[in-house]
Amino acid sequence: MVEGGAAKADKAECLECWQTTWKTPYIMRLALSAGIGGLLFGYDTGVISGAMLYIREDFEVVDRKTWLQETIVSMAVAGAIVGAAIGGWMNDKFGRKKAIIVADVVFFLGAIVMAVAPFPGFIIVGRLIVGFGVGMASMTAPLYISEASPARIRGALVSTNGLLITGGQFLSYLINLAFTKTKLTWRLMLGVAGVPPLVQFVLMLSLPESPRWLYRRDKVDEARAILEKIYPADQVEDEMRLLHESVETEKAEEGAIGDGSIIAKVKGALSNQIVRRGLYAGIMVQVAQQFCGINTVMYYSPTIIQFAGYASNTTAMALSLVTSFLNAAGSVVSMVSVDRYGRRRLMLISMIGIITCLVVLAGVFFQSAHHSPPVNALESSHFGSNSTCSAYASAPDASSWNCMSCLKQQCGFCANGDSEYLPGACLDLTKDVRSSCRSKHRVWFTEGCPSKIGFLAVVVMGLYIISYAPGMGTVPWVLNSEIYPLRYRGTGGGIAAVSNWISNLIVSQTFLTLVEALGAAGTFLLFAGFSFLGLIGIYFLVPETKGLQFEEVEELLRQGKKYKSSRDQREVSAQ
């Protein structure tokens, strides 16, 4: 998973989840209805990668200005940061159900604004609005599912939200591919995102509020009525008792923290040595998750594939399906392996694989750029002097130019009609010139150059996702759900989540600028460097929490020792 969290669920819990929901379909109805929020989350983070290819073709200003492309992509992330904060407040004030319904309305409005956008500024506004909905959904959907699920299968049901996130990303690539041959292309890609929130809105109207929220508002009878639909009759009283104890404990802990405000909670967390040590580990893994470059792949996957020499939008999006599918499959692998192999070990192995893939990917892009086809003056003049790239025409070293030299000057490369690897033309980056090139059955390159080894970039990207998804994709969220003392778990997890969103924003807002400045090879090498720092940080800061009770984790942090395994911790505790 790229962002958002999923509670861990082992195979036994998944089997019990299946058996329980088969007997009580109402439980699955609750989980799937709320889980549409995860689907929306995943769809929005994936759809822009393909839509951007056609937005650039419709608006020359977007094609020419890298910062506009980055802003369109990252504005949803900026909105999500604000939406998550608003969602947290709405959850407590108005309830989980109403927060989900409001998120649906916001998401639907954002989708409509993007679909009808007359100019790029409207798309940016629409992305911001959608981001609000994404942030609210990312906070509320897992919470609603968790509080409306039987305790014994809670992890498995909450994990469905994570699966729907990656499933939504995969669906977005399929829909992008389906709309490539239509006239409205990106408008349909972005506009169809308004359908799931409409479905969820209707479904949520017939579903109840979270029983936990109702109990906290002294609506005991309503909470009991919902629990009677979820649990067998002989278990309802026990669940009511547990709910009462949990809520009372939570109130007592809030009272111990102070006035219960966000500021008081943050101050209390930062002044506590145990929480600080937990935050060192929790924030570090969240930042490392983003700075290993995952969202450059998820947000810009077709563009990266074009860097590798696949100029066709349709081909680029079709190949991007592979990365999205592997990401979804990796989430399933993580669910069944995180409790078997441990959090720390999975993240270390994952980071080693990530670093290796990024270094190899940088090498592939370096070789592709170095051996790109040369530019030929005769080929360029073939389209008319007014069409030739002005930077090429006036360059004193024009005879040494190749395709990559041309693209670095914000021009387009029209490949040779006989073979893409023969000398081609360096032309102005305009719609008319692009159409003229394609009318002669030539391939138009603007992001990457023809390369005989470009297919290796696609293979390595797939290996990168295989390395990332089971480890760094999900484990940072699992670690953050269990490394803080109970009374600070929400605060600590919230601080770490904000660090994840901010890191996501930084990476997505700077990726194309870095490619312009450093080249694709240099950019991925930079991410490899960040990943190496993350590997060092995990090794020295993150303890193994596999199989530990929350009290044991707290004792581990109190001692301030970096045990490599939960067995080491237990042996020391027993002494």
Side-chain angles (χ1 to χ4, degrees):
M1 212 171 6
V2 183
E3 54 263 319
K8 59 184 182 295
D10 58 24
K11 290 187 289 186
E13 189 176 2
C14 289
L15 178 60
E16 186 173 359
C17 176
W18 171 257
Q19 293 172 342
T20 302
T21 53
W22 181 261
K23 295 177 182 177
T24 313
Y26 184 76
I27 298 172
M28 185 55 74
R29 179 186 168 195
L30 290 174
L32 291 180
S33 296
I36 293 176
L39 184 75
L40 290 170
F41 189 167
Y43 185 88
D44 182 71
T45 56
V47 70
I48 194 61
S49 62
M52 181 57 68
L53 302 181
Y54 295 93
I55 292 173
R56 282 169 33 208
E57 289 195 353
D58 275 7
F59 300 108
E60 286 187 16
V61 65
V62 176
D63 200 24
R64 288 181 174 277
K65 295 184 178 181
T66 297
W67 68 268
L68 259 180
Q69 297 174 39
E70 292 171 330
T71 301
I72 290 172
V73 170
S74 62
M75 194 52 61
V77 180
I81 296 173
V82 179
I86 295 173
W89 171 76
M90 286 194 67
N91 281 331
D92 291 337
K93 185 72 173 178
F94 303 107
R96 288 51 161 150
K97 176 181 175 179
K98 289 181 180 178
I100 291 176
I101 289 174
V102 171
D104 288 333
V105 173
V106 170
F107 211 108
F108 181 79
L109 290 175
I112 297 302
V113 170
M114 290 188 295
V116 302
F119 53 87
F122 258 67
I123 304 176
I124 292 173
V125 172
R127 290 285 291 170
L128 182 65
I129 295 173
V130 163
F132 292 151
V134 165
M136 294 171 69
S138 70
M139 286 290 295
T140 310
L143 186 63
Y144 180 87
I145 296 171
S146 176
E147 295 181 349
S149 304
R152 65 186 183 279
I153 60 170
R154 184 170 296 142
L157 285 177
V158 175
S159 294
T160 62
N161 185 67
L163 289 176
L164 285 169
I165 290 175
T166 52
Q169 290 169 341
F170 183 67
L171 178 64
S172 71
Y173 283 89
L174 286 175
I175 290 178
N176 280 349
L177 197 58
F179 288 141
T180 54
K181 301 301 182 181
T182 63
K183 290 183 178 180
L184 297 177
T185 55
W186 64 269
R187 296 184 185 276
L188 290 174
M189 295 172 185
L190 298 176
V192 79
V195 176
L198 193 61
V199 173
Q200 187 178 45
F201 181 89
V202 174
L203 291 174
M204 289 304 299
L205 290 177
S206 63
L207 292 177
E209 181 53 79
S210 157
R212 185 181 185 85
W213 185 86
L214 290 171
Y215 197 96
R216 284 211 58 163
R217 294 300 183 278
D218 297 323
K219 299 180 180 180
V220 179
D221 291 338
E222 292 181 41
R224 182 190 297 275
I226 297 168
L227 291 178
E228 288 174 348
K229 294 182 179 180
I230 298 173
Y231 292 93
D234 60 340
Q235 296 180 19
V236 172
E237 288 305 321
D238 286 339
E239 291 302 322
M240 286 294 294
R241 177 180 54 80
L242 292 172
L243 182 58
H244 171 77
E245 292 175 356
S246 176
V247 170
E248 292 303 315
T249 300
E250 188 177 275
K251 289 180 178 179
E253 287 167 352
E254 289 175 355
I257 291 174
D259 59 13
S261 66
I262 294 177
I263 295 176
K265 291 178 180 178
V266 172
K267 284 183 177 179
L270 296 179
S271 64
N272 186 300
Q273 186 183 56
I274 295 173
V275 180
R276 284 202 309 273
R277 286 172 175 167
L279 284 171
Y280 295 153
I283 292 175
M284 195 278 303
V285 296
Q286 293 285 30
V287 173
Q289 184 194 63
Q290 294 301 320
F291 274 87
C292 70
I294 181 58
N295 278 323
T296 63
V297 175
M298 300 314 298
Y299 296 161
Y300 298 102
S301 182
T303 301
I304 294 173
I305 289 173
Q306 288 188 336
F307 289 161
Y310 295 91
S312 166
N313 290 346
T314 303
T315 301
M317 285 192 289
L319 291 174
S320 296
L321 277 172
V322 177
T323 61
S324 182
F325 173 77
L326 290 173
N327 190 40
S331 298
V332 178
V333 173
S334 180
M335 286 171 59
V336 300
S337 61
V338 69
D339 284 323
R340 175 177 298 180
Y341 300 108
R343 291 80 163 116
R344 187 175 187 273
R345 181 184 299 176
L346 273 180
M347 286 191 289
L348 288 173
I349 294 173
S350 179
M351 287 299 274
I352 291 171
I354 287 169
I355 294 167
T356 303
C357 290
L358 286 172
V359 171
V360 174
L361 195 61
V364 171
F365 281 122
F366 177 80
Q367 289 297 320
S368 295
H370 187 66
H371 296 289
S372 64
V375 173
N376 181 273
L378 186 62
E379 283 286 317
S380 299
S381 62
H382 176 74
F383 293 87
S385 58
N386 292 334
S387 298
T388 303
C389 172
S390 57
Y392 169 71
S394 60
D397 59 341
S399 60
S400 65
W401 274 41
N402 61 17
C403 169
M404 193 56 65
S405 310
C406 178
L407 299 191
K408 286 181 178 178
Q409 294 299 320
Q410 298 292 304
C411 295
F413 181 79
C414 185
N416 191 291
D418 295 326
S419 171
E420 292 180 3
Y421 308 112
L422 294 175
C426 185
L427 307 175
D428 278 337
L429 195 63
T430 65
K431 284 185 178 180
D432 290 340
V433 173
R434 180 184 68 210
S435 299
S436 178
C437 172
R438 289 175 174 173
S439 68
K440 298 181 183 298
H441 304 290
R442 299 187 179 201
V443 183
W444 178 251
F445 292 86
T446 60
E447 296 297 334
C449 295
S451 172
K452 294 181 179 179
I453 63 171
F455 73 95
L456 287 175
V458 180
V459 173
V460 176
M461 276 178 62
L463 293 174
Y464 168 87
I465 293 294
I466 290 172
S467 300
Y468 169 86
M472 290 305 295
T474 55
V475 178
W477 297 101
V478 174
L479 182 76
N480 272 281
S481 72
E482 59 193 12
I483 202 170
Y484 308 108
L486 180 60
R487 61 187 179 279
Y488 291 112
R489 190 155 301 142
T491 305
I495 293 172
V498 169
S499 70
N500 183 284
W501 281 111
I502 292 174
S503 302
N504 184 342
L505 179 61
I506 293 171
V507 171
S508 59
Q509 181 65 43
T510 59
F511 174 63
L512 295 179
T513 300
L514 286 172
V515 171
E516 279 192 354
L518 305 176
T523 301
F524 285 109
L525 205 57
L526 179 64
F527 285 134
F530 287 141
S531 300
F532 180 74
L533 294 177
L535 176 67
I536 299 300
I538 292 170
Y539 185 84
F540 285 104
L541 293 177
V542 178
E544 180 55 73
T545 58
K546 169 193 168 185
L548 296 180
Q549 298 295 325
F550 290 132
E551 293 78 13
E552 292 176 312
V553 174
E554 190 169 344
E555 179 61 27
L556 179 64
L557 294 172
R558 179 177 288 108
Q559 295 178 15
K561 297 180 179 179
K562 313 301 183 297
Y563 297 110
K564 298 181 181 180
S565 70
S566 53
R567 184 179 63 182
D568 294 339
Q569 159 63 10
R570 284 211 169 96
E571 288 176 353
V572 171
S573 300
Q575 292 176 359

